[in-house]
Amino acid sequence: MGRLITLTALIWALAASAWAQSGSSFSGLARIDAGASHVRDAGQGAEITLGLSQGVPYRLFTLTEPPRLVLDFQEVDWTGLTAEKLLKGEKVTAAQFGTYVPGWSRLVLQLAEPMNVASAALSVDQVTAAATLTVALEQAAAEEFAASAGAPQDPRWDLPAPETMEANAERDENAPLLVMLDPGHGGIDPGAETEVVVEKHLMLQFARELGEALVRSGQFTVQMTRDDDYFVSLERRIAMAHQAGADVFISLHADTISEGRAHGSTVYTLSKEASDAASAKLAERHLRGDLLSGTDLSQADDGVTAVMLDLARQETQPRSDALAAALIDGLRAQGRPINNRPLRSAGFSVLKSADIPSVLVELGFLSSKRDIKNLVDAEWRAKAARGILNGLIAWRAQDDARRALVRQ
């Protein structure tokens, strides 16, 4: 880790020095020059070249499982760039880019094998102020790569460490329930993509529409894990629900999947084991957010904490199951297409809250032409929102009655 911090500091110094020589200061938004940007094989390693309209502060580091190189910038407009245009060799197998947190951009390159940074340099044209970032990667042993990998903590780039929050005052039992809506993906993580729509944009739009319907009912208040196109780690989404004192957590998605040619709405609850092959594939997709943020929730708890969480889930899990069933009933009553197996389970990280009833709603599948047609239809989405609202109202009544019996 010491080597990593030294490398990051050196890069900041190089970036600042190069930009200072041009007689300017770091400011504004840099635009990517897609034609001048490429990732190519270079012997046993790879070479990364990024053309920018101007120099900006940047840092880079590596992550494991799978091996990745992460480059952060303040700030880059990626318009015009695609992974297909960027990747020209076999040493780097995939690329994702977008907003990391507001004001900061991130490029993640998945490596075919472990490679360390051999050199990094930012050059700035004295006349045009255009900049070129060049990074050389060299082959590395797995042990060496793992030893130097890890996301640094820097207040200029990263969210502050979580602070202890005072417990929220108990609300009157007749007060509106607080629903935390979680539009899936965002920023650097686009989710499913088609020629027609991108999952992260569609789910943000639907979350806003659903939130308005819930608030207008007078029975719910709403908060969202993101209100724009930026990346939020899976761990952070759960933390936000706890900090807000949410009564319900609903994650919204519209994935693509080939297993079973899935179509229609599906609602997931938490399970250690996926209920079928399709659920397992979706779980792999949803866990990518953990990989991008460098966070592994499976290692976060010691044995004692795990026991306490399991005890809490014994009460919460039946409430989540009842919530899932109520949402499916609400959607079905509105005539929304329902999957032939609408209630499923999987190990989605966003469902791991021990004390908040949590569900993940696959509103439809972007791999289904019928579902795409529905999802882009504002009238269809309005009826889907009404179905979820009705499901929440029915669940609240059932949940209140059930909890009253438990107290007795």
Side-chain angles (χ1 to χ4, degrees):
M1 184 61 70
R3 175 183 174 186
L4 174 62
I5 294 173
T6 301
L7 177 60
T8 302
L10 175 61
I11 291 169
W12 271 89
L14 289 171
S17 173
W19 193 236
Q21 291 174 13
S22 71
S24 303
S25 61
F26 291 114
S27 65
L29 178 70
R31 297 182 303 279
I32 192 72
D33 182 347
S37 301
H38 55 263
V39 178
R40 295 192 174 117
D41 295 347
Q44 296 299 312
E47 181 183 78
I48 301 154
T49 301
L50 298 178
L52 302 169
S53 61
Q54 66 178 58
V56 290
Y58 74 99
R59 72 172 182 183
L60 52 77
F61 56 91
T62 53
L63 295 174
T64 58
E65 298 180 357
R68 285 151 291 147
L69 174 69
V70 180
L71 298 96
D72 287 336
F73 302 88
Q74 181 195 9
E75 171 182 21
V76 173
D77 178 355
W78 303 103
T79 302
L81 185 67
T82 64
E84 290 75 16
K85 292 179 181 178
L86 182 65
L87 304 181
K88 305 297 183 182
E90 298 179 353
K91 295 293 185 180
V92 177
T93 59
Q96 289 182 292
F97 41 85
T99 304
Y100 169 49
V101 294
W104 306 93
S105 303
R106 172 168 286 188
L107 168 65
V108 180
L109 300 175
Q110 185 164 321
L111 311 178
E113 57 186 318
M115 290 187 284
N116 283 333
V117 177
S119 64
L122 177 72
S123 61
V124 180
D125 189 284
Q126 299 287 335
V127 178
T128 65
T132 302
L133 174 62
T134 304
V135 180
L137 301 178
E138 60 183 8
Q139 190 177 37
E143 297 79 6
E144 180 187 1
F145 179 81
S148 63
Q153 287 295 315
D154 189 322
R156 293 170 293 187
W157 304 83
D158 302 308
L159 295 172
E163 297 181 0
T164 302
M165 303 291 289
E166 293 184 4
N168 293 317
E170 291 189 9
R171 293 196 300 272
D172 182 271
E173 63 180 9
N174 296 318
L177 292 187
L178 174 55
V179 179
M180 180 65 76
L181 295 181
D182 175 42
H185 309 283
I188 192 174
D189 179 14
E193 298 180 272
T194 72
E195 295 180 357
V196 178
V197 70
V198 179
E199 182 183 3
K200 64 176 182 178
H201 298 315
L202 182 61
M203 289 302 99
L204 179 59
Q205 181 179 14
F206 181 71
R208 289 169 173 163
E209 295 166 350
L210 174 58
E212 181 177 357
L214 295 179
V215 171
R216 285 182 177 275
S217 74
Q219 299 195 44
F220 304 96
T221 58
V222 171
Q223 290 192 29
M224 293 168 55
T225 56
R226 65 181 181 93
D227 58 6
D228 208 336
D229 182 22
Y230 52 82
F231 176 77
V232 182
S233 71
L234 304 185
E235 183 181 41
R236 176 65 177 157
R237 294 170 194 253
I238 299 173
M240 291 173 70
H242 281 106
Q243 290 171 2
D247 297 293
V248 175
F249 182 91
I250 301 177
S251 192
L252 300 167
H253 290 265
D255 270 287
T256 61
I257 193 164
S258 57
E259 282 72 9
R261 297 181 179 178
H263 57 80
S265 297
T266 305
V267 181
Y268 283 84
T269 54
L270 179 66
S271 172
K272 292 182 180 180
E273 300 295 334
S275 57
D276 56 16
S279 301
K281 289 293 183 181
L282 284 177
E284 291 176 7
R285 289 178 58 84
H286 288 279
L287 287 171
R288 290 179 183 174
D290 271 334
L291 297 176
L292 288 172
S293 66
T295 304
D296 183 0
L297 293 177
S298 67
Q299 303 299 321
D301 302 316
D302 60 22
V304 174
T305 302
V307 171
M308 298 300 292
L309 291 174
D310 285 341
L311 289 173
R313 288 193 181 100
Q314 289 182 15
E315 177 184 353
T316 305
Q317 189 63 44
R319 299 178 66 206
S320 297
D321 294 340
L323 173 60
L327 294 184
I328 287 296
D329 288 344
L331 288 167
R332 183 180 282 117
Q334 288 293 312
R336 303 305 87 196
I338 302 299
N339 189 271
N340 59 1
R341 292 186 60 245
L343 295 173
R344 304 193 185 192
S345 61
F348 296 139
S349 290
V350 290
L351 301 182
K352 291 184 178 179
S353 173
D355 55 349
I356 303 175
S358 304
V359 295
L360 185 146
V361 178
E362 288 286 352
L363 200 60
F365 292 88
L366 299 187
S367 46
S368 163
K369 292 183 179 179
R370 183 189 72 177
D371 283 3
I372 291 178
K373 181 179 178 181
N374 289 334
L375 289 166
V376 299
D377 183 343
E379 183 177 349
W380 187 94
R381 292 196 308 272
K383 291 183 178 179
R386 168 59 64 177
I388 292 176
L389 167 61
N390 291 343
L392 276 167
I393 292 173
W395 172 81
R396 180 179 186 177
Q398 297 167 2
D399 192 60
D400 286 346
R402 186 182 303 111
R403 298 182 79 180
L405 290 174
V406 170
R407 286 194 295 271
Q408 293 176 11

